[in-house]
């Protein structure tokens, strides 16, 4: 592996299907991309396609006791998409999945984290969302404004501007 190490974390929202393409762009930009998916997100795309794009199998399930970490230490994290549910669980410190465990550890390790939410506007007004978003932002997570990176196709399906996501990462 070469270059800077980026953990690419995806949860179950429509833009997760763009992760193989995004991973290719990131690798072309010199990143070693380590994919981490929620179990639900792994149902939304083909993990083998993501592995082909990154060169590494996605981490989906927790490690067994004594099992070594499959990825090198992260230099940065991109959480895209970050759903309402995962943001609230992460903000509450829940650690019940591999994805949440990775996010909590990296938050405590003070690794730069960039997050692109995919949350309906009505849910962004929920008290829990506002509180957990503020808590995570106060802990150093850099949230990208949805209007700058998230678009709705004519059929209403959300997609990310992959160039904007790549540009948001630390250089």
């Amino acid at each position: 592996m070469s270059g800077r190490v980026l953990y690419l974390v995806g949860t179950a929202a429509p833009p997760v299907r763009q992760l193989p393409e995004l991973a290719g762009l990131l690798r072309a930009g010199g990143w070693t991309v380590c994919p981490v998916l929620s179990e639900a997100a792994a149902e939304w795309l083909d993990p083998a396609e993501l592995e082909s794009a990154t060169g590494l199998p996605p981490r989906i399930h927790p490690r067994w006791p004594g099992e070594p970490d499959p990825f090198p230490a992260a230099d940065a994290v991109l959480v895209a998409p970050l759903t309402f549910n995962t943001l609230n669980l992460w903000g509450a410190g829940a650690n019940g999945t591999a994805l949440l465990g990775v996010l909590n550890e990296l938050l405590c390790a003070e690794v730069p984290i960039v997050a692109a939410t995919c949350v309906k506007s009505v849910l962004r007004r929920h008290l829990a969302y506002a509180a957990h978003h503020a808590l995570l932002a106060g802990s150093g997570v850099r949230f990208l404004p949805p209007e700058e990176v998230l678009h709705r196709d004519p059929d209403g399906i959300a997609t990310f501007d992959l160039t904007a996501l790549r540009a948001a990462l630390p250089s």
Side-chain angles (χ1 to χ4, degrees):
M1 291 184 209
S2 62
R4 300 163 295 162
V5 176
L6 176 77
Y7 281 33
L8 180 59
V9 180
T11 63
V16 77
R17 296 176 294 179
Q18 296 177 273
L19 291 190
E21 181 182 356
L22 177 58
L25 292 171
L26 295 168
R27 285 183 77 189
W31 290 98
T32 295
V33 179
C34 301
V36 180
L37 296 173
S38 69
E39 290 183 27
E43 299 289 327
W44 286 50
L45 58 76
D46 179 0
E49 183 183 0
L50 187 56
E51 181 175 354
S52 177
T54 62
L56 294 167
R59 187 161 167 201
I60 300 166
H61 303 288
R63 290 182 288 139
W64 289 96
E67 182 181 349
D69 194 325
F71 298 148
D75 295 308
V77 181
L78 174 60
V79 189
L82 176 59
T83 60
F84 175 84
N85 189 52
T86 301
L87 180 140
N88 284 307
L89 288 168
W90 184 21
N95 216 38
T97 65
L99 181 136
L100 288 168
V102 167
L103 288 177
N104 283 316
E105 287 179 20
L106 292 169
L107 185 66
C108 294
E110 299 181 6
V111 173
I113 300 174
V114 175
T117 59
C118 185
V119 176
K120 292 177 182 179
S121 59
V122 68
L123 290 175
R124 282 187 251 146
R125 295 192 303 265
H126 193 286
L127 293 175
Y129 179 85
H132 290 127
H133 188 284
L135 186 140
L136 291 166
S139 298
V141 176
R142 186 171 140 238
F143 286 95
L144 302 176
E147 62 277 2
E148 293 180 14
V149 296
L150 189 67
H151 307 286
R152 295 254 174 219
D153 292 341
D155 60 3
I157 299 295
T159 59
F160 279 131
D161 176 339
L162 301 183
T163 303
L165 291 182
R166 185 177 60 179
L169 294 174
S171 50

PDB file of all heavy atoms in Angstrom, residues 76-115:
ATOM      1  N   ALA A  76      -7.080   9.960   7.358  1.00  0.00           N
ATOM      2  CA  ALA A  76      -8.312  10.741   7.233  1.00  0.00           C
ATOM      3  C   ALA A  76      -9.473   9.770   7.053  1.00  0.00           C
ATOM      4  O   ALA A  76      -9.275   8.588   6.745  1.00  0.00           O
ATOM      5  CB  ALA A  76      -8.232  11.698   6.045  1.00  0.00           C
ATOM      6  N   VAL A  77     -10.681  10.302   7.248  1.00  0.00           N
ATOM      7  CA  VAL A  77     -11.905   9.514   7.117  1.00  0.00           C
ATOM      8  C   VAL A  77     -12.894  10.326   6.301  1.00  0.00           C
ATOM      9  O   VAL A  77     -13.032  11.535   6.508  1.00  0.00           O
ATOM     10  CB  VAL A  77     -12.520   9.213   8.503  1.00  0.00           C
ATOM     11  CG1 VAL A  77     -13.784   8.368   8.361  1.00  0.00           C
ATOM     12  CG2 VAL A  77     -11.524   8.535   9.416  1.00  0.00           C
ATOM     13  N   LEU A  78     -13.599   9.641   5.394  1.00  0.00           N
ATOM     14  CA  LEU A  78     -14.720  10.234   4.686  1.00  0.00           C
ATOM     15  C   LEU A  78     -15.926   9.345   4.933  1.00  0.00           C
ATOM     16  O   LEU A  78     -15.919   8.171   4.574  1.00  0.00           O
ATOM     17  CB  LEU A  78     -14.446  10.339   3.185  1.00  0.00           C
ATOM     18  CG  LEU A  78     -15.612  10.829   2.312  1.00  0.00           C
ATOM     19  CD1 LEU A  78     -16.067  12.234   2.739  1.00  0.00           C
ATOM     20  CD2 LEU A  78     -15.213  10.819   0.845  1.00  0.00           C
ATOM     21  N   VAL A  79     -16.931   9.903   5.597  1.00  0.00           N
ATOM     22  CA  VAL A  79     -18.170   9.179   5.856  1.00  0.00           C
ATOM     23  C   VAL A  79     -19.187   9.700   4.852  1.00  0.00           C
ATOM     24  O   VAL A  79     -19.646  10.836   4.950  1.00  0.00           O
ATOM     25  CB  VAL A  79     -18.688   9.401   7.293  1.00  0.00           C
ATOM     26  CG1 VAL A  79     -19.858   8.455   7.579  1.00  0.00           C
ATOM     27  CG2 VAL A  79     -17.581   9.218   8.314  1.00  0.00           C
ATOM     28  N   ALA A  80     -19.510   8.866   3.862  1.00  0.00           N
ATOM     29  CA  ALA A  80     -20.404   9.304   2.788  1.00  0.00           C
ATOM     30  C   ALA A  80     -21.049   8.088   2.143  1.00  0.00           C
ATOM     31  O   ALA A  80     -20.329   7.302   1.538  1.00  0.00           O
ATOM     32  CB  ALA A  80     -19.634  10.113   1.752  1.00  0.00           C
ATOM     33  N   PRO A  81     -22.318   7.925   2.281  1.00  0.00           N
ATOM     34  CA  PRO A  81     -23.268   8.761   2.992  1.00  0.00           C
ATOM     35  C   PRO A  81     -23.346   8.423   4.482  1.00  0.00           C
ATOM     36  O   PRO A  81     -23.099   7.293   4.886  1.00  0.00           O
ATOM     37  CB  PRO A  81     -24.602   8.435   2.309  1.00  0.00           C
ATOM     38  CG  PRO A  81     -24.446   7.026   1.841  1.00  0.00           C
ATOM     39  CD  PRO A  81     -22.990   6.878   1.489  1.00  0.00           C
ATOM     40  N   LEU A  82     -23.724   9.429   5.250  1.00  0.00           N
ATOM     41  CA  LEU A  82     -23.993   9.271   6.676  1.00  0.00           C
ATOM     42  C   LEU A  82     -25.487   9.480   6.872  1.00  0.00           C
ATOM     43  O   LEU A  82     -26.012  10.558   6.579  1.00  0.00           O
ATOM     44  CB  LEU A  82     -23.195  10.289   7.491  1.00  0.00           C
ATOM     45  CG  LEU A  82     -23.440  10.305   8.999  1.00  0.00           C
ATOM     46  CD1 LEU A  82     -23.137   8.948   9.638  1.00  0.00           C
ATOM     47  CD2 LEU A  82     -22.616  11.411   9.657  1.00  0.00           C
ATOM     48  N   THR A  83     -26.172   8.450   7.336  1.00  0.00           N
ATOM     49  CA  THR A  83     -27.623   8.500   7.502  1.00  0.00           C
ATOM     50  C   THR A  83     -28.034   9.081   8.856  1.00  0.00           C
ATOM     51  O   THR A  83     -27.226   9.178   9.783  1.00  0.00           O
ATOM     52  CB  THR A  83     -28.232   7.095   7.377  1.00  0.00           C
ATOM     53  OG1 THR A  83     -27.672   6.262   8.398  1.00  0.00           O
ATOM     54  CG2 THR A  83     -27.998   6.493   6.004  1.00  0.00           C
ATOM     55  N   PHE A  84     -29.302   9.414   8.946  1.00  0.00           N
ATOM     56  CA  PHE A  84     -29.916   9.897  10.185  1.00  0.00           C
ATOM     57  C   PHE A  84     -29.658   8.915  11.332  1.00  0.00           C
ATOM     58  O   PHE A  84     -29.209   9.303  12.415  1.00  0.00           O
ATOM     59  CB  PHE A  84     -31.432  10.063   9.937  1.00  0.00           C
ATOM     60  CG  PHE A  84     -32.239  10.444  11.141  1.00  0.00           C
ATOM     61  CD1 PHE A  84     -32.349  11.760  11.530  1.00  0.00           C
ATOM     62  CD2 PHE A  84     -32.917   9.476  11.870  1.00  0.00           C
ATOM     63  CE1 PHE A  84     -33.120  12.121  12.630  1.00  0.00           C
ATOM     64  CE2 PHE A  84     -33.685   9.829  12.974  1.00  0.00           C
ATOM     65  CZ  PHE A  84     -33.782  11.154  13.353  1.00  0.00           C
ATOM     66  N   ASN A  85     -29.936   7.646  11.093  1.00  0.00           N
ATOM     67  CA  ASN A  85     -29.782   6.632  12.128  1.00  0.00           C
ATOM     68  C   ASN A  85     -28.333   6.524  12.598  1.00  0.00           C
ATOM     69  O   ASN A  85     -28.054   6.549  13.801  1.00  0.00           O
ATOM     70  CB  ASN A  85     -30.284   5.278  11.608  1.00  0.00           C
ATOM     71  CG  ASN A  85     -30.361   4.247  12.698  1.00  0.00           C
ATOM     72  OD1 ASN A  85     -30.947   4.472  13.742  1.00  0.00           O
ATOM     73  ND2 ASN A  85     -29.767   3.088  12.448  1.00  0.00           N
ATOM     74  N   THR A  86     -27.405   6.427  11.672  1.00  0.00           N
ATOM     75  CA  THR A  86     -26.002   6.251  12.051  1.00  0.00           C
ATOM     76  C   THR A  86     -25.452   7.495  12.731  1.00  0.00           C
ATOM     77  O   THR A  86     -24.712   7.392  13.714  1.00  0.00           O
ATOM     78  CB  THR A  86     -25.155   5.861  10.831  1.00  0.00           C
ATOM     79  OG1 THR A  86     -25.676   4.638  10.284  1.00  0.00           O
ATOM     80  CG2 THR A  86     -23.702   5.653  11.214  1.00  0.00           C
ATOM     81  N   LEU A  87     -25.821   8.676  12.252  1.00  0.00           N
ATOM     82  CA  LEU A  87     -25.363   9.901  12.904  1.00  0.00           C
ATOM     83  C   LEU A  87     -25.820   9.924  14.361  1.00  0.00           C
ATOM     84  O   LEU A  87     -25.029  10.248  15.256  1.00  0.00           O
ATOM     85  CB  LEU A  87     -25.897  11.128  12.158  1.00  0.00           C
ATOM     86  CG  LEU A  87     -25.481  12.467  12.756  1.00  0.00           C
ATOM     87  CD1 LEU A  87     -25.139  13.457  11.661  1.00  0.00           C
ATOM     88  CD2 LEU A  87     -26.528  13.033  13.682  1.00  0.00           C
ATOM     89  N   ASN A  88     -27.074   9.570  14.615  1.00  0.00           N
ATOM     90  CA  ASN A  88     -27.587   9.596  15.985  1.00  0.00           C
ATOM     91  C   ASN A  88     -26.934   8.525  16.859  1.00  0.00           C
ATOM     92  O   ASN A  88     -26.607   8.786  18.024  1.00  0.00           O
ATOM     93  CB  ASN A  88     -29.109   9.472  15.990  1.00  0.00           C
ATOM     94  CG  ASN A  88     -29.759  10.767  15.578  1.00  0.00           C
ATOM     95  OD1 ASN A  88     -29.476  11.822  16.142  1.00  0.00           O
ATOM     96  ND2 ASN A  88     -30.601  10.713  14.574  1.00  0.00           N
ATOM     97  N   LEU A  89     -26.738   7.338  16.329  1.00  0.00           N
ATOM     98  CA  LEU A  89     -26.055   6.285  17.102  1.00  0.00           C
ATOM     99  C   LEU A  89     -24.612   6.681  17.405  1.00  0.00           C
ATOM    100  O   LEU A  89     -24.126   6.508  18.524  1.00  0.00           O
ATOM    101  CB  LEU A  89     -26.105   4.961  16.345  1.00  0.00           C
ATOM    102  CG  LEU A  89     -27.474   4.291  16.290  1.00  0.00           C
ATOM    103  CD1 LEU A  89     -27.466   3.150  15.270  1.00  0.00           C
ATOM    104  CD2 LEU A  89     -27.877   3.780  17.670  1.00  0.00           C
ATOM    105  N   TRP A  90     -23.922   7.222  16.414  1.00  0.00           N
ATOM    106  CA  TRP A  90     -22.530   7.650  16.586  1.00  0.00           C
ATOM    107  C   TRP A  90     -22.457   8.773  17.618  1.00  0.00           C
ATOM    108  O   TRP A  90     -21.634   8.734  18.537  1.00  0.00           O
ATOM    109  CB  TRP A  90     -21.986   8.089  15.236  1.00  0.00           C
ATOM    110  CG  TRP A  90     -20.552   8.488  15.173  1.00  0.00           C
ATOM    111  CD1 TRP A  90     -19.544   8.173  16.041  1.00  0.00           C
ATOM    112  CD2 TRP A  90     -19.948   9.273  14.150  1.00  0.00           C
ATOM    113  NE1 TRP A  90     -18.353   8.716  15.619  1.00  0.00           N
ATOM    114  CE2 TRP A  90     -18.583   9.402  14.450  1.00  0.00           C
ATOM    115  CE3 TRP A  90     -20.435   9.881  13.001  1.00  0.00           C
ATOM    116  CZ2 TRP A  90     -17.694  10.111  13.648  1.00  0.00           C
ATOM    117  CZ3 TRP A  90     -19.546  10.584  12.197  1.00  0.00           C
ATOM    118  CH2 TRP A  90     -18.193  10.705  12.520  1.00  0.00           C
ATOM    119  N   GLY A  91     -23.326   9.761  17.494  1.00  0.00           N
ATOM    120  CA  GLY A  91     -23.333  10.874  18.433  1.00  0.00           C
ATOM    121  C   GLY A  91     -23.628  10.438  19.861  1.00  0.00           C
ATOM    122  O   GLY A  91     -23.148  11.040  20.820  1.00  0.00           O
ATOM    123  N   ALA A  92     -24.408   9.368  20.011  1.00  0.00           N
ATOM    124  CA  ALA A  92     -24.733   8.848  21.343  1.00  0.00           C
ATOM    125  C   ALA A  92     -23.630   7.944  21.886  1.00  0.00           C
ATOM    126  O   ALA A  92     -23.707   7.505  23.036  1.00  0.00           O
ATOM    127  CB  ALA A  92     -26.052   8.080  21.287  1.00  0.00           C
ATOM    128  N   GLY A  93     -22.626   7.665  21.077  1.00  0.00           N
ATOM    129  CA  GLY A  93     -21.527   6.806  21.526  1.00  0.00           C
ATOM    130  C   GLY A  93     -21.832   5.322  21.406  1.00  0.00           C
ATOM    131  O   GLY A  93     -21.104   4.512  21.957  1.00  0.00           O
ATOM    132  N   ALA A  94     -22.896   4.957  20.688  1.00  0.00           N
ATOM    133  CA  ALA A  94     -23.215   3.539  20.491  1.00  0.00           C
ATOM    134  C   ALA A  94     -22.079   2.868  19.722  1.00  0.00           C
ATOM    135  O   ALA A  94     -21.455   3.478  18.865  1.00  0.00           O
ATOM    136  CB  ALA A  94     -24.529   3.392  19.740  1.00  0.00           C
ATOM    137  N   ASN A  95     -21.816   1.623  20.050  1.00  0.00           N
ATOM    138  CA  ASN A  95     -20.658   0.935  19.479  1.00  0.00           C
ATOM    139  C   ASN A  95     -21.025  -0.487  19.060  1.00  0.00           C
ATOM    140  O   ASN A  95     -20.181  -1.355  19.067  1.00  0.00           O
ATOM    141  CB  ASN A  95     -19.536   0.910  20.529  1.00  0.00           C
ATOM    142  CG  ASN A  95     -18.162   1.048  19.920  1.00  0.00           C
ATOM    143  OD1 ASN A  95     -17.974   1.789  18.972  1.00  0.00           O
ATOM    144  ND2 ASN A  95     -17.198   0.344  20.493  1.00  0.00           N
ATOM    145  N   GLY A  96     -22.282  -0.722  18.664  1.00  0.00           N
ATOM    146  CA  GLY A  96     -22.780  -2.072  18.440  1.00  0.00           C
ATOM    147  C   GLY A  96     -22.480  -2.694  17.098  1.00  0.00           C
ATOM    148  O   GLY A  96     -22.857  -3.832  16.867  1.00  0.00           O
ATOM    149  N   THR A  97     -21.824  -1.963  16.187  1.00  0.00           N
ATOM    150  CA  THR A  97     -21.482  -2.522  14.882  1.00  0.00           C
ATOM    151  C   THR A  97     -20.016  -2.218  14.577  1.00  0.00           C
ATOM    152  O   THR A  97     -19.412  -1.342  15.208  1.00  0.00           O
ATOM    153  CB  THR A  97     -22.352  -1.914  13.765  1.00  0.00           C
ATOM    154  OG1 THR A  97     -22.048  -0.514  13.651  1.00  0.00           O
ATOM    155  CG2 THR A  97     -23.840  -2.104  14.043  1.00  0.00           C
ATOM    156  N   ALA A  98     -19.484  -2.910  13.590  1.00  0.00           N
ATOM    157  CA  ALA A  98     -18.102  -2.641  13.184  1.00  0.00           C
ATOM    158  C   ALA A  98     -17.954  -1.185  12.741  1.00  0.00           C
ATOM    159  O   ALA A  98     -16.990  -0.507  13.108  1.00  0.00           O
ATOM    160  CB  ALA A  98     -17.675  -3.593  12.065  1.00  0.00           C
ATOM    161  N   LEU A  99     -18.923  -0.694  11.969  1.00  0.00           N
ATOM    162  CA  LEU A  99     -18.851   0.666  11.463  1.00  0.00           C
ATOM    163  C   LEU A  99     -18.832   1.680  12.607  1.00  0.00           C
ATOM    164  O   LEU A  99     -18.001   2.587  12.625  1.00  0.00           O
ATOM    165  CB  LEU A  99     -20.032   0.932  10.525  1.00  0.00           C
ATOM    166  CG  LEU A  99     -20.074   2.317   9.898  1.00  0.00           C
ATOM    167  CD1 LEU A  99     -20.426   2.217   8.436  1.00  0.00           C
ATOM    168  CD2 LEU A  99     -21.047   3.196  10.625  1.00  0.00           C
ATOM    169  N   LEU A 100     -19.727   1.530  13.569  1.00  0.00           N
ATOM    170  CA  LEU A 100     -19.749   2.456  14.711  1.00  0.00           C
ATOM    171  C   LEU A 100     -18.475   2.349  15.537  1.00  0.00           C
ATOM    172  O   LEU A 100     -17.947   3.362  16.010  1.00  0.00           O
ATOM    173  CB  LEU A 100     -20.978   2.215  15.578  1.00  0.00           C
ATOM    174  CG  LEU A 100     -22.301   2.673  14.972  1.00  0.00           C
ATOM    175  CD1 LEU A 100     -23.473   2.115  15.769  1.00  0.00           C
ATOM    176  CD2 LEU A 100     -22.369   4.193  14.893  1.00  0.00           C
ATOM    177  N   GLY A 101     -17.973   1.141  15.710  1.00  0.00           N
ATOM    178  CA  GLY A 101     -16.720   0.969  16.437  1.00  0.00           C
ATOM    179  C   GLY A 101     -15.576   1.713  15.770  1.00  0.00           C
ATOM    180  O   GLY A 101     -14.782   2.403  16.426  1.00  0.00           O
ATOM    181  N   VAL A 102     -15.485   1.591  14.449  1.00  0.00           N
ATOM    182  CA  VAL A 102     -14.440   2.294  13.694  1.00  0.00           C
ATOM    183  C   VAL A 102     -14.612   3.801  13.844  1.00  0.00           C
ATOM    184  O   VAL A 102     -13.649   4.523  14.130  1.00  0.00           O
ATOM    185  CB  VAL A 102     -14.470   1.868  12.210  1.00  0.00           C
ATOM    186  CG1 VAL A 102     -13.637   2.805  11.346  1.00  0.00           C
ATOM    187  CG2 VAL A 102     -13.985   0.431  12.055  1.00  0.00           C
ATOM    188  N   LEU A 103     -15.833   4.298  13.652  1.00  0.00           N
ATOM    189  CA  LEU A 103     -16.057   5.746  13.752  1.00  0.00           C
ATOM    190  C   LEU A 103     -15.746   6.278  15.152  1.00  0.00           C
ATOM    191  O   LEU A 103     -15.125   7.338  15.290  1.00  0.00           O
ATOM    192  CB  LEU A 103     -17.493   6.091  13.363  1.00  0.00           C
ATOM    193  CG  LEU A 103     -17.838   5.966  11.887  1.00  0.00           C
ATOM    194  CD1 LEU A 103     -19.318   6.255  11.653  1.00  0.00           C
ATOM    195  CD2 LEU A 103     -16.967   6.884  11.036  1.00  0.00           C
ATOM    196  N   ASN A 104     -16.162   5.564  16.179  1.00  0.00           N
ATOM    197  CA  ASN A 104     -15.889   6.022  17.550  1.00  0.00           C
ATOM    198  C   ASN A 104     -14.402   6.038  17.848  1.00  0.00           C
ATOM    199  O   ASN A 104     -13.887   6.985  18.449  1.00  0.00           O
ATOM    200  CB  ASN A 104     -16.651   5.164  18.563  1.00  0.00           C
ATOM    201  CG  ASN A 104     -18.114   5.524  18.622  1.00  0.00           C
ATOM    202  OD1 ASN A 104     -18.468   6.685  18.647  1.00  0.00           O
ATOM    203  ND2 ASN A 104     -18.973   4.522  18.640  1.00  0.00           N
ATOM    204  N   GLU A 105     -13.692   5.001  17.438  1.00  0.00           N
ATOM    205  CA  GLU A 105     -12.244   4.964  17.682  1.00  0.00           C
ATOM    206  C   GLU A 105     -11.530   6.095  16.951  1.00  0.00           C
ATOM    207  O   GLU A 105     -10.648   6.747  17.507  1.00  0.00           O
ATOM    208  CB  GLU A 105     -11.669   3.616  17.259  1.00  0.00           C
ATOM    209  CG  GLU A 105     -12.029   2.483  18.200  1.00  0.00           C
ATOM    210  CD  GLU A 105     -11.468   1.152  17.759  1.00  0.00           C
ATOM    211  OE1 GLU A 105     -10.509   1.122  16.960  1.00  0.00           O
ATOM    212  OE2 GLU A 105     -11.992   0.129  18.231  1.00  0.00           O
ATOM    213  N   LEU A 106     -11.908   6.334  15.697  1.00  0.00           N
ATOM    214  CA  LEU A 106     -11.240   7.375  14.923  1.00  0.00           C
ATOM    215  C   LEU A 106     -11.575   8.765  15.451  1.00  0.00           C
ATOM    216  O   LEU A 106     -10.728   9.660  15.431  1.00  0.00           O
ATOM    217  CB  LEU A 106     -11.596   7.237  13.444  1.00  0.00           C
ATOM    218  CG  LEU A 106     -11.013   5.975  12.799  1.00  0.00           C
ATOM    219  CD1 LEU A 106     -11.623   5.750  11.423  1.00  0.00           C
ATOM    220  CD2 LEU A 106      -9.496   6.046  12.722  1.00  0.00           C
ATOM    221  N   LEU A 107     -12.789   8.951  15.945  1.00  0.00           N
ATOM    222  CA  LEU A 107     -13.156  10.223  16.552  1.00  0.00           C
ATOM    223  C   LEU A 107     -12.273  10.492  17.777  1.00  0.00           C
ATOM    224  O   LEU A 107     -11.774  11.599  17.964  1.00  0.00           O
ATOM    225  CB  LEU A 107     -14.634  10.219  16.951  1.00  0.00           C
ATOM    226  CG  LEU A 107     -15.203  11.519  17.493  1.00  0.00           C
ATOM    227  CD1 LEU A 107     -15.223  12.609  16.418  1.00  0.00           C
ATOM    228  CD2 LEU A 107     -16.607  11.285  18.030  1.00  0.00           C
ATOM    229  N   CYS A 108     -12.055   9.461  18.576  1.00  0.00           N
ATOM    230  CA  CYS A 108     -11.218   9.606  19.774  1.00  0.00           C
ATOM    231  C   CYS A 108      -9.734   9.734  19.434  1.00  0.00           C
ATOM    232  O   CYS A 108      -8.966  10.296  20.209  1.00  0.00           O
ATOM    233  CB  CYS A 108     -11.446   8.420  20.709  1.00  0.00           C
ATOM    234  SG  CYS A 108     -13.110   8.381  21.398  1.00  0.00           S
ATOM    235  N   ALA A 109      -9.341   9.212  18.270  1.00  0.00           N
ATOM    236  CA  ALA A 109      -7.939   9.289  17.846  1.00  0.00           C
ATOM    237  C   ALA A 109      -7.611  10.628  17.193  1.00  0.00           C
ATOM    238  O   ALA A 109      -6.474  10.871  16.818  1.00  0.00           O
ATOM    239  CB  ALA A 109      -7.624   8.154  16.877  1.00  0.00           C
ATOM    240  N   GLU A 110      -8.629  11.473  17.043  1.00  0.00           N
ATOM    241  CA  GLU A 110      -8.467  12.802  16.468  1.00  0.00           C
ATOM    242  C   GLU A 110      -7.956  12.769  15.035  1.00  0.00           C
ATOM    243  O   GLU A 110      -7.211  13.636  14.603  1.00  0.00           O
ATOM    244  CB  GLU A 110      -7.606  13.679  17.361  1.00  0.00           C
ATOM    245  CG  GLU A 110      -8.214  13.872  18.742  1.00  0.00           C
ATOM    246  CD  GLU A 110      -7.396  14.753  19.656  1.00  0.00           C
ATOM    247  OE1 GLU A 110      -6.390  15.334  19.223  1.00  0.00           O
ATOM    248  OE2 GLU A 110      -7.793  14.867  20.828  1.00  0.00           O
ATOM    249  N   VAL A 111      -8.394  11.757  14.283  1.00  0.00           N
ATOM    250  CA  VAL A 111      -8.110  11.683  12.855  1.00  0.00           C
ATOM    251  C   VAL A 111      -9.087  12.632  12.160  1.00  0.00           C
ATOM    252  O   VAL A 111     -10.258  12.680  12.537  1.00  0.00           O
ATOM    253  CB  VAL A 111      -8.307  10.225  12.354  1.00  0.00           C
ATOM    254  CG1 VAL A 111      -8.179  10.131  10.853  1.00  0.00           C
ATOM    255  CG2 VAL A 111      -7.319   9.299  13.040  1.00  0.00           C
ATOM    256  N   PRO A 112      -8.651  13.392  11.144  1.00  0.00           N
ATOM    257  CA  PRO A 112      -9.596  14.277  10.448  1.00  0.00           C
ATOM    258  C   PRO A 112     -10.743  13.469   9.828  1.00  0.00           C
ATOM    259  O   PRO A 112     -10.509  12.502   9.101  1.00  0.00           O
ATOM    260  CB  PRO A 112      -8.756  14.939   9.356  1.00  0.00           C
ATOM    261  CG  PRO A 112      -7.337  14.733   9.763  1.00  0.00           C
ATOM    262  CD  PRO A 112      -7.298  13.511  10.613  1.00  0.00           C
ATOM    263  N   ILE A 113     -11.972  13.886  10.139  1.00  0.00           N
ATOM    264  CA  ILE A 113     -13.162  13.198   9.638  1.00  0.00           C
ATOM    265  C   ILE A 113     -14.026  14.204   8.892  1.00  0.00           C
ATOM    266  O   ILE A 113     -14.383  15.247   9.435  1.00  0.00           O
ATOM    267  CB  ILE A 113     -13.973  12.561  10.787  1.00  0.00           C
ATOM    268  CG1 ILE A 113     -13.126  11.528  11.542  1.00  0.00           C
ATOM    269  CG2 ILE A 113     -15.258  11.915  10.240  1.00  0.00           C
ATOM    270  CD1 ILE A 113     -13.809  10.954  12.784  1.00  0.00           C
ATOM    271  N   VAL A 114     -14.356  13.848   7.651  1.00  0.00           N
ATOM    272  CA  VAL A 114     -15.264  14.627   6.818  1.00  0.00           C
ATOM    273  C   VAL A 114     -16.512  13.783   6.644  1.00  0.00           C
ATOM    274  O   VAL A 114     -16.416  12.587   6.345  1.00  0.00           O
ATOM    275  CB  VAL A 114     -14.626  14.954   5.452  1.00  0.00           C
ATOM    276  CG1 VAL A 114     -15.615  15.667   4.546  1.00  0.00           C
ATOM    277  CG2 VAL A 114     -13.352  15.778   5.632  1.00  0.00           C
ATOM    278  N   ALA A 115     -17.687  14.388   6.829  1.00  0.00           N
ATOM    279  CA  ALA A 115     -18.936  13.636   6.712  1.00  0.00           C
ATOM    280  C   ALA A 115     -19.898  14.333   5.761  1.00  0.00           C
ATOM    281  O   ALA A 115     -20.047  15.556   5.803  1.00  0.00           O
ATOM    282  CB  ALA A 115     -19.591  13.473   8.086  1.00  0.00           C
TER     283      ALA A 115
END
